[in-house]
């Protein structure tokens, strides 16, 4: 494609910008998760739960920058604190009170957190959490669920999306590198377990208890919302890690938005460590790590050299800490309940559309996340998910997402992420557009 040739008339400027991007960015992108054919839409502004692109098209934002923008765009209180904090001090070697205030809020709100520290991304939070687990237990190996995503740390990226020919045994999955060049020595430090298989996972932890010091899991969703770890499985992990002297990490970088007390508040299961990001930054880059005072003591300097050293040029910078504290303060229990009610309205509406159109599938979701799955295949673990994807679900998701976009709805692989400014009218807009898109999809024979 040269210049704007072949471009949709409503996206000419985006097509032109993409051609410039291809000259200076690999394939025209910095983030692989925003790859779109024939080109992405380029945003120019946002307000509430709506984004406007460079061509003037308005899109209902049901992605919210991969769930991070929980207050949507241009939230007055957040913009005000950015404008007032920036001229005071943006970044310095000295700490500020904002760091303490955000830590106090998290300690008060999240069950597992007695002490907290800050980083600059969810990936960094997981990297530091692994260091903590190793230092605290003296055991180097880390156990995670096959197919789980925990940021771009190559240790934890192992077996994020392995192909069937590399899976290995179902009850003892084989670690597979996610990027070319990952050394085998690093893969040797990861142990995989199958989500929701209590017996197999328990056996893995017990048989390798002298090697595994850390277990990490997203307590909400595997693969961006498609596989839900059962509560009895999470409870088994809690019991076994306590019995075997392992550190249990809940990766709540995404799922802290599931309620006032995070996902651990919904499950009633308290881990040793919690990694955070996304919503705790108020829209600015952030990572966080919190846990019991005992486990977090590896950072203590009062008695001499800490077991784990952690710093960073922009760690706990006052801009992020101020916006994070302000944003989180606005997230009251009532606000979470309101988002959940609107999301339930959306889920009920999507299910009605599915039934009315006679589409095979189901609507799933929890709290402010919702997804329409056009399949009747089970998805209780990564391998079942991969089978469903390989039997046509992935193609359906791509078509559905494109058609939703043409209706002015920006979704996450066909999934919907709510934000606080969304109204019932916005939900109705999404449902009306979804009905038209799915009817077109059915006419195409793509359902």
């Amino acid at each position: 494609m040269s210049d704007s040739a072949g471009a949709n008339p409503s996206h000419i400027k985006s097509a032109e910008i993409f051609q410039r991007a291809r000259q200076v960015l690999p394939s025209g992108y910095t983030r692989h998760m925003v790859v779109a054919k024939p080109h992405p839409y380029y945003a120019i502004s946002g307000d509430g739960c709506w984004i406007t692109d460079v061509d003037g098209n308005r899109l209902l934002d049901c992605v919210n920058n991969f769930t991070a923008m929980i207050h949507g765009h241009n939230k007055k209180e957040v913009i005000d604190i950015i404008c007032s904090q920036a001229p005071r001090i943006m970044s310095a070697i000295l700490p500020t009170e904002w760091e303490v205030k955000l830590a106090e809020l998290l300690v008060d709100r999240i069950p597992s957190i007695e002490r907290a520290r800050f980083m600059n991304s969810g990936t960094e939070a997981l990297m530091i959490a692994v260091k903590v687990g190793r230092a605290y237990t003296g055991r180097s190996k880390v156990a995670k669920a096959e197919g789980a995503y925990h940021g771009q740390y190559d240790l934890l990226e192992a077996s994020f999306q392995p192909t069937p020919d590399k899976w290995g045994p179902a009850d003892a999955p084989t670690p597979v590198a996610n990027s070319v060049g990952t050394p085998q020595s690093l893969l040797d430090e990861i142990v995989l377990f199958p989500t929701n298989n209590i017996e197999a996972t328990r056996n893995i932890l017990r048989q390798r208890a002298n090697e595994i010091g850390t277990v990490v899991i997203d307590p909400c969703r595997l693969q961006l919302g498609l596989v839900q770890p059962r509560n009895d499985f999470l409870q088994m992990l809690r019991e076994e890690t306590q019995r075997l002297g392992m550190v249990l990490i809940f990766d709540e970088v995404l799922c802290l938005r599931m309620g006032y007390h995070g996902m651990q508040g919904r499950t009633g299961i308290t881990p040793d460590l919690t990694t955070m990001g996304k919503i705790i930054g108020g829209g600015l880059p952030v990572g966080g790590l919190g846990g019991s005072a005992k486990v977090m003591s590896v950072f203590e300097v009062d008695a001499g050299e800490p077991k784990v050293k952690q710093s960073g040029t922009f760690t706990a910078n006052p801009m992020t800490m101020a916006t994070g504290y302000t944003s989180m303060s606005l997230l009251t229990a009532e606000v979470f309940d309101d988002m959940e009610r609107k999301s339930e309205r959306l889920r009920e509406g999507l299910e009605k559309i599915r039934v009315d159109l006679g589409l095979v599938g189901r609507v799933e979701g929890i709290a402010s996340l919702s997804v329409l799955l056009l399949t009747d295949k089970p998805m209780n673990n990564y391998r079942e998910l991969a089978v469903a994807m390989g039997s046509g679900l992935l193609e359906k998701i791509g078509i559905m997402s494109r058609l939703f976009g043409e209706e002015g709805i920006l979704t996450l692989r066909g999934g919907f992420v709510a934000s606080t400014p969304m109204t019932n009218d916005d939900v109705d807009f999404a449902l009306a557009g979804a009905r038209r898109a799915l009817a077109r999809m059915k006419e195409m024979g793509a359902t």
Side-chain angles (χ1 to χ4, degrees), residues 122-351:
T123 292
E124 192 177 340
L126 267 298
M127 293 173 72
I128 300 300
V130 168
K131 289 185 179 182
V132 172
R134 287 171 168 166
Y136 187 77
T137 65
R139 290 173 250 164
S140 65
K141 285 184 170 51
V142 180
K144 60 161 270 189
E146 182 181 33
Y149 179 75
H150 298 291
Q152 297 177 75
Y153 176 24
D154 48 4
L155 173 74
L156 294 179
E157 271 191 323
S159 290
F160 169 43
Q161 292 179 324
T163 53
D165 59 306
K166 298 178 180 179
W167 281 349
D171 58 353
T174 302
V176 179
N178 192 56
S179 296
V180 174
T182 300
Q184 182 61 46
S185 59
L186 198 64
L187 295 177
D188 290 342
E189 293 299 314
I190 200 78
V191 177
L192 301 177
F193 55 80
T195 302
N196 290 327
N197 188 327
I198 291 178
E199 182 178 358
T201 301
R202 181 187 285 121
N203 288 339
I204 289 169
L205 296 180
R206 289 181 178 181
Q207 290 169 8
R208 307 192 67 174
N210 63 329
E211 303 172 273
I212 300 171
T214 308
V215 177
V216 58
I217 190 167
D218 183 330
C220 178
R221 290 282 174 172
L222 181 75
Q223 294 279 329
L224 294 176
L226 299 180
V227 176
Q228 173 71 53
R230 296 194 315 267
N231 226 55
D232 59 346
F233 182 76
L234 295 173
Q235 185 61 49
M236 179 277 296
L237 288 180
R238 177 65 289 183
E239 293 170 357
E240 287 299 315
T241 52
Q242 285 182 326
R243 193 176 73 84
L244 300 171
M246 299 171 182
V247 170
L248 177 62
I249 301 170
F250 272 10
D251 179 356
E252 296 219 35
V253 170
L254 185 153
C255 65
L256 203 73
R257 66 157 35 234
M258 297 308 169
Y260 186 75
H261 301 293
M263 189 63 189
Q264 58 198 259
R266 295 184 75 100
T267 64
I269 299 169
T270 303
D272 300 300
L273 292 175
T274 299
T275 56
M276 299 164 286
K278 298 189 185 293
I279 69 168
I280 71 165
L284 297 184
V286 73
L289 174 64
S292 68
K294 186 175 182 181
V295 176
M296 292 290 284
S297 69
V298 298
F299 293 111
E300 298 284 357
V301 298
D302 296 339
E305 285 288 307
K307 291 182 178 179
V308 175
K309 299 177 182 179
Q310 178 247 331
S311 189
T313 302
F314 294 102
T315 294
N317 72 84
M319 291 297 292
T320 296
M321 297 295 98
T323 56
Y325 174 78
T326 301
S327 176
M328 291 295 291
S329 296
L330 295 169
L331 290 172
T332 63
E334 292 74 21
V335 168
F336 279 108
D337 289 342
D338 183 66
M339 276 196 298
E340 186 157 353
R341 281 193 297 271
K342 290 186 173 70
S343 296
E344 186 57 36
R345 176 189 176 96
L346 175 68
R347 288 190 283 270
E348 290 174 356
L350 288 173
E351 177 62 11

Side-chain angles (χ1 to χ4, degrees), residues 362 374-379 382-395:
R362 59 190 181 272
L374 296 179
T375 181
D376 57 0
K377 293 186 179 298
M379 290 189 289
Y382 170 73
R383 297 190 181 193
E384 290 184 354
L385 169 64
V387 169
M389 288 292 187
S391 62
L393 179 59
L394 186 61
E395 290 76 12

